[in-house]
Amino acid sequence: MLSKSQISFIKSLHQKKYRKEHGLFIVEGIKSIKEFIRSNYHIHTIFYNSEQYNLLPKLPANINLFEVKNAELDKISTLQTPQGFLALVHIPKNQPLDERELKNQFTLVLDGVQDPGNMGTIIRTADWFGFKRIICSPDSVEVFNPKTVQATMGSLARVTVFETDLPAFLASNKIPVFGALLDGASIYKTEWGNEGLVILGNEGKGISPEVIKNITKPVTIPRIGEAESLNVAVSAAIFCAELVRVRN
C-alpha cells in the first residue's frame, strides 16, 4: 500500500520542477516500460497492479517492484484511464552533442515546438524512420513531460534528444541547414546531398528569426489544397519519409 508521502512524491513528478529536482520521470503502460527496460535508461521503481503481474518481463535485480491497487494507480497516474503499470525512470545526465556524429546523415532540429503530443509524435516518427538524434531549442517542450513520453510509445528509449542554443550551434555548424519555410524550394525537388540539419518551427510562429538567419536551404512541402498550414508532427513525418527515400 502506498503511503501519503509516496503518493505526494509521485504526483509531484507530474510537474517539470520536481522532475528536474529529483531526476526522475514517469512512464506508463507495460509496452512503453518494456522499451525502457531494454534501453540504457535506469528504471528506479515499477508500480504494478497484481492482476497484470504476469505481463512483466524478467527484470534486473536493481529495479524496485511495488504492488498497488487500482485506486492507488488512479491517484498517481497522469492518465484518465491508468494502464496497470507506472514506472519511475531516472533522467539521464545531459550528454554533450558531438557534431562529428551529425556527419553523413540527416538530423531533425526543433525550434520552439510547444505541444507535448507533437513532440512525442515527432520522436516516435523519427524512431520509425531510423533517426537516432533530435536537437531541440531550450524553449521547446520538455521531452520528459508525461504527455510527451506517452506520445512516444516507448520511442524515447531509442532516440536521443539534445537541447542547445540553436543560433549559436547553427552558426558554428559546417553542414547544410535546411529549414521548413513557406517560401522554400519544393521538398520533392530539393538537392539534399547526403547530410544536413532539418529545422521545423513552432506550431504557431514557425521558425524564429534568429534561427532563420542560419538556414542555407529553405524547403517547403507544396500545398495543393486550401489548408492554411500543416501540423508540425505531420510535417516531420513527410520530411523523414522523403529523406529516407532520397538516401535509399
Side-chain angles (χ1 to χ4, degrees), residues 16 110-114 119 136-143 163:
K16 180 179 180 179
L110 307 180
D111 181 23
V113 171
Q114 293 295 299
M119 177 64 79
C136 292
S137 62
D139 61 340
S140 295
V141 64
E142 179 207 14
V143 296
E163 184 180 294

Side-chain angles (χ1 to χ4, degrees), residues 99-172:
E99 296 186 26
R100 293 172 297 180
E101 296 178 347
L102 305 178
K103 298 291 291 181
N104 300 313
Q105 62 181 293
F106 291 95
T107 304
L108 293 181
V109 179
L110 307 180
D111 181 23
V113 171
Q114 293 295 299
D115 183 79
N118 283 337
M119 177 64 79
T121 301
I122 292 170
I123 293 170
R124 185 180 178 188
T125 300
D127 185 28
W128 174 268
F129 285 104
F131 292 76
K132 300 299 182 185
R133 298 172 191 81
I134 292 176
I135 301 170
C136 292
S137 62
D139 61 340
S140 295
V141 64
E142 179 207 14
V143 296
F144 301 113
N145 178 302
K147 292 181 180 179
T148 299
V149 175
Q150 195 67 25
T152 73
M153 295 295 288
S155 288
L156 181 58
R158 288 181 293 273
V159 177
T160 304
V161 181
F162 298 91
E163 184 180 294
T164 191
D165 180 315
L166 290 187
F169 164 69
L170 295 170
S172 64

Side-chain angles (χ1 to χ4, degrees), residues 17-243:
K17 172 184 175 181
Y18 296 106
R19 289 193 293 273
K20 186 174 182 180
E21 179 180 330
H22 298 293
L24 293 168
F25 68 101
I26 292 171
V27 180
E28 298 196 58
I30 190 60
K31 289 184 178 180
S32 291
I33 291 172
K34 282 181 177 179
E35 299 290 354
F36 282 93
I37 291 171
R38 291 191 287 261
S39 74
N40 293 325
Y41 279 80
H42 179 117
I43 295 179
H44 181 280
T45 305
I46 296 176
F47 300 90
Y48 69 95
N49 182 304
S50 60
E51 297 171 4
Q52 296 178 289
Y53 176 79
N54 63 320
L55 296 177
L56 280 169
K58 186 176 180 180
L59 300 172
N62 63 345
I63 296 179
N64 300 311
L65 274 179
F66 201 107
E67 182 180 332
V68 292
K69 297 178 181 178
N70 284 330
E72 293 174 308
L73 271 175
D74 286 341
K75 292 179 181 178
I76 62 175
S77 175
T78 64
L79 306 174
Q80 288 189 337
T81 306
Q83 298 182 8
F85 294 90
L86 183 149
L88 303 185
V89 182
H90 288 277
I91 295 174
K93 292 181 180 179
N94 290 333
Q95 302 179 36
L97 177 59
D98 187 344
E99 296 186 26
R100 293 172 297 180
E101 296 178 347
L102 305 178
K103 298 291 291 181
N104 300 313
Q105 62 181 293
F106 291 95
T107 304
L108 293 181
V109 179
L110 307 180
D111 181 23
V113 171
Q114 293 295 299
D115 183 79
N118 283 337
M119 177 64 79
T121 301
I122 292 170
I123 293 170
R124 185 180 178 188
T125 300
D127 185 28
W128 174 268
F129 285 104
F131 292 76
K132 300 299 182 185
R133 298 172 191 81
I134 292 176
I135 301 170
C136 292
S137 62
D139 61 340
S140 295
V141 64
E142 179 207 14
V143 296
F144 301 113
N145 178 302
K147 292 181 180 179
T148 299
V149 175
Q150 195 67 25
T152 73
M153 295 295 288
S155 288
L156 181 58
R158 288 181 293 273
V159 177
T160 304
V161 181
F162 298 91
E163 184 180 294
T164 191
D165 180 315
L166 290 187
F169 164 69
L170 295 170
S172 64
N173 169 65
K174 299 284 195 299
I175 63 177
V177 180
F178 300 88
L181 298 171
L182 290 175
D183 58 352
S186 168
I187 186 176
Y188 306 116
K189 297 179 180 179
T190 296
E191 292 292 331
W192 291 99
N194 67 344
E195 63 182 11
L197 303 172
V198 181
I199 303 176
L200 298 163
N202 173 272
E203 290 88 344
K205 301 176 183 177
I207 301 173
S208 63
E210 297 79 12
V211 172
I212 287 177
K213 293 177 184 177
N214 294 284
I215 292 173
T216 54
K217 297 186 178 184
V219 183
T220 193
I221 299 169
R223 179 173 62 177
I224 308 303
E226 299 298 323
E228 180 183 352
S229 62
L230 274 178
N231 173 275
V232 65
V234 173
S235 297
I238 294 171
F239 272 96
C240 286
E242 180 64 10
L243 289 168

